[in-house]
Each structure stands twice: as structure tokens, then as C-alpha cells.
Amino acid sequence: MSKYPLFVLCLFGLSLSLNPFIGSMATPATSVQIAGMRAQSQELYSAQSFALKYLNPKKAKIRTTVQSTYVVNGFSLIGWQQGEMAGQLLLKKQGKTWKVLSSGGGAMDLNTLTSYGLPKATAEELLKQAESN
């Protein structure tokens, strides 16, 4: 028998599961896995969360991970990996959510980004951020 009453242990366990700073100890049912980087802003986190939900339908046999996320002027370029496959997802912020402009294998270049309506300066900044990492 433990020297601590059962209800004290239950309260301690509950406090751990509710603490968002515990990370790996707390695994809520709607948790998302963000590989490679921490969300440094609400915008990054929002784009990453949307991407993971989009890239991982409930019936997916292989989970897709987000490898990189860049956000500039309401557009997001997200690098993803699924097993041995990889590609990029291009998103546009609309209100409080994101809209998928393109998703596919391989990397996007300046012409591809501007063809989806990104201003040239925004596309260049996204690519600059991606190349610097």
C-alpha cells in the first residue's frame, strides 16, 4: 500500500494531464505532433495544426509529419514527410482558417508560388526562409 491516499494520487495525475507545459506526459485526444520545430507564434501553430489535419485523414495508414513551416503575409509554405515521400503544402489564410492552394510531392519554386496568386515579394520571402533552414 502506498503511503499517499488514492485521491491525492488521482489529483496529482489529473494536474499533470491538464498542464500544457508537461508535453510528453500529457496526451490529449486531439493532440498534434509537430516534428522539427516548436510553434513560435499562433500563426505558425495554426498553419501546422491545419496542415496535420489535412495531411492525416482518419483512415491514413502512414502518418504524415510536418518538417518545416514558414508563414509570410497570410501565406504558409509547409514541408511534409510521409514515410519515404515528401512534398510541400501551400496555404492561404482566410479569416481564422487556412485554405489549401496546392499540395504535392517535391519542392515549389518562385514561378509555382506566384502562379497561385502569391505576390512576388511574399513568395521570395517564403523561399528565402526555407533555404536558410
Side-chain angles (χ1 to χ4, degrees), residues 54-69:
Y54 176 82
L55 294 166
N56 287 303
K58 291 184 180 185
K59 295 182 181 182
K61 293 181 182 180
I62 300 174
R63 302 301 290 173
T64 303
T65 58
V66 169
Q67 300 298 310
S68 60
T69 303

Side-chain angles (χ1 to χ4, degrees), residues 22-51:
I22 299 298
S24 64
M25 295 178 84
T27 54
T30 59
S31 69
V32 294
Q33 295 178 337
I34 300 172
M37 69 182 299
R38 285 178 160 248
Q40 297 178 7
S41 71
Q42 184 62 32
E43 193 90 334
L44 281 173
Y45 179 77
S46 171
Q48 289 172 335
S49 295
F50 179 88

Side-chain angles (χ1 to χ4, degrees), residues 40-99:
Q40 297 178 7
S41 71
Q42 184 62 32
E43 193 90 334
L44 281 173
Y45 179 77
S46 171
Q48 289 172 335
S49 295
F50 179 88
L52 285 167
K53 289 176 186 173
Y54 176 82
L55 294 166
N56 287 303
K58 291 184 180 185
K59 295 182 181 182
K61 293 181 182 180
I62 300 174
R63 302 301 290 173
T64 303
T65 58
V66 169
Q67 300 298 310
S68 60
T69 303
Y70 310 100
V71 177
V72 176
N73 298 329
F75 291 93
S76 181
L77 185 62
I78 296 175
W80 57 265
Q81 184 168 358
Q82 182 185 52
E84 294 181 17
M85 297 184 306
Q88 290 183 318
L89 179 66
L90 180 61
L91 305 176
K92 180 179 181 180
K93 185 80 177 212
Q94 289 189 326
K96 293 183 180 183
T97 190
W98 293 93
K99 175 184 174 187

